[in-house]
Amino acid sequence: MKQRMTLVLWDVALIIGIALYISLHHDYPLIGWLSMVMFLICTRNSIKNHTATYTLTGKIY
């Protein structure tokens, strides 16, 4: 159960990073760049966690 919650939290952080980047990168370049870094970190962690979960259980959710 804890691993599933970790997956969901990283996915939510990824979606928030994408939304921040799309909505703020024109008006506030610094916030746009910081959200882009958040997006890249969350993408890497999300893929890593999904791969590990799939390897262990054979299913993601």
Side-chain angles (χ1 to χ4, degrees):
M1 186 67 163
K2 182 180 177 188
Q3 191 168 8
R4 182 180 296 167
M5 189 60 142
T6 303
L7 283 175
V8 171
L9 288 175
W10 277 112
D11 291 343
V12 168
L14 178 62
I15 292 169
I16 289 171
I18 292 169
L20 281 174
Y21 181 75
I22 289 172
S23 64
L24 298 176
H25 80 280
H26 292 295
D27 299 330
Y28 305 102
L30 179 60
I31 294 174
W33 283 107
L34 290 174
S35 63
M36 184 64 163
V37 169
M38 179 182 164
F39 166 73
L40 293 173
I41 291 171
C42 290
T43 301
R44 183 180 71 80
N45 284 334
S46 206
I47 291 171
K48 182 180 74 172
N49 290 336
H50 279 280
T51 304
T53 302
Y54 184 74
T55 303
L56 289 174
T57 62
K59 58 183 178 178
I60 291 181
Y61 291 107

